[in-house]
Amino acid sequence: MSDRKTTDFGYEQVAVEEKAGRVADVFHSVAARYDVMNDLMSGGVHRLWKRFTIELAGVRAGQKVLDIAGGTGDLSYAFARRVGDDGLVVLADINESMLNVGRDRLTDRGVAGNLQYAQADAQYLPFPDNTFDCITIAFGLRNVTDKDLALASMLRVLKPGGRLLVLEFSKPNNPLLEKAYDAYSFKLLPFMGKVVANDADSYRYLAESIRMHPDQETLKAMMDNAGFVNTEYHNMTGGVVALHKGIKP
């Protein structure tokens, strides 16, 4: 019998200490084509999901925002415009390739002055307690090895009254939609990954990681257990995506 601790990497079980490196390889591979693939995979609907997240965040001028797994910077761009010159947005990503793509993209869009970048692990956020008014993590929590540890880390760096928003793929609430979604995810998605990004395996992992992610009620309970209050979630596109929100007491 082995006492080696394992965790999921898609449908595969791997050693806990191996997962971060395996996930990093996936995002090193897809970083250059990430935006193109997001538009293809969602038919552009991911922009509406993110817009709703931005509105629900309620970010105001002068506030500090942490955008975890910020990738190519869609949320960071919007938040930087809302917090203004007296505010601050930190785009954080554990993956150097994704962070570089985001930095280049936002620099090209003229965002500077109130935006900083940090290569950071959501489980061990390198910020002081009670720093941020708002934290977002969009399509990133499912790739974290220890989600409970990450939620605790996010709670720590939020100010009292600060809010966490988790935008993530979830469980469709209609059996017919779920069946169609499965067919799309495991047949069409890897095919598109092969054609567009020359990487079917990475997109197969992304589909599997979605299925292994906690469903809506489970994630809400995890946020409650971490210490967040007034937790709630909003299903979008029939539950294909859910936006969870919690407040630090």
Side-chain angles (χ1 to χ4, degrees):
M1 291 286 292
S2 172
D3 60 0
R4 187 181 75 159
K5 292 183 178 180
T6 62
T7 187
D8 60 275
F9 176 76
Y11 289 162
E12 183 182 353
Q13 287 293 304
V14 300
V16 167
E17 60 270 19
E18 292 177 12
K19 179 170 179 174
R22 297 279 294 272
V23 171
D25 289 342
V26 169
F27 284 92
H28 286 315
S29 175
V30 304
R33 295 274 185 166
Y34 190 74
D35 283 337
V36 173
M37 283 300 298
N38 274 349
D39 281 327
L40 286 174
M41 288 188 298
S42 70
V45 179
H46 75 99
R47 300 179 186 276
L48 299 179
W49 300 332
K50 291 173 181 174
R51 186 178 303 167
F52 182 63
T53 303
I54 293 161
E55 294 302 323
L56 197 65
V59 170
R60 301 187 302 275
Q63 291 191 325
K64 292 182 178 180
V65 180
L66 175 61
D67 181 17
I68 301 175
T72 54
D74 288 342
L75 295 183
S76 290
Y77 176 76
F79 289 140
R81 299 182 69 182
R82 295 195 175 206
V83 303
D85 293 340
D86 295 328
L88 175 67
V89 177
V90 178
L91 192 166
D93 204 296
I94 194 173
N95 187 272
E96 183 180 11
S97 296
M98 292 296 294
L99 195 63
N100 288 339
V101 170
R103 181 188 292 113
D104 291 346
R105 185 180 179 207
L106 292 177
T107 299
D108 289 345
R109 297 180 79 176
V111 183
N114 65 351
L115 182 62
Q116 297 178 0
Y117 302 89
Q119 187 172 355
D121 185 336
Q123 300 169 118
Y124 309 101
L125 292 170
F127 308 106
D129 296 359
N130 308 317
T131 297
F132 296 99
D133 298 284
C134 181
I135 296 176
T136 57
I137 178 167
F139 306 115
L141 187 61
R142 72 181 189 278
N143 297 309
V144 175
T145 301
D146 189 331
K147 297 173 181 61
D148 292 316
L149 185 61
L151 290 171
S153 185
M154 295 176 208
L155 185 75
R156 179 185 65 78
V157 302
L158 271 174
K159 296 177 181 178
R163 52 223 174 268
L164 168 66
L165 291 100
V166 181
L167 179 65
E168 189 55 88
F169 292 106
S170 200
K171 184 176 177 59
N173 50 26
N174 179 290
L176 290 178
L177 176 60
E178 185 172 19
K179 186 175 181 179
Y181 185 47
D182 280 344
Y184 164 80
S185 298
F186 293 107
K187 294 181 180 178
L188 186 57
L189 184 55
F191 174 74
M192 286 194 298
K194 176 65 175 176
V195 172
V196 177
N198 195 31
D199 188 352
D201 290 342
S202 290
Y203 285 91
R204 187 173 295 108
Y205 158 74
L206 293 176
E208 292 176 357
S209 70
I210 292 168
R211 298 311 186 278
M212 298 300 292
H213 184 67
D215 65 17
Q216 289 91 325
E217 286 293 336
T218 302
L219 180 54
K220 181 179 182 298
M222 291 170 66
M223 293 174 67
D224 290 336
N225 291 338
F228 290 93
V229 298
N230 299 331
T231 56
E232 61 181 10
Y233 63 85
H234 303 268
N235 282 326
M236 293 180 278
T237 317
V240 168
V241 165
L243 176 62
H244 284 69
K245 181 179 179 180
I247 306 296
K248 178 173 178 174

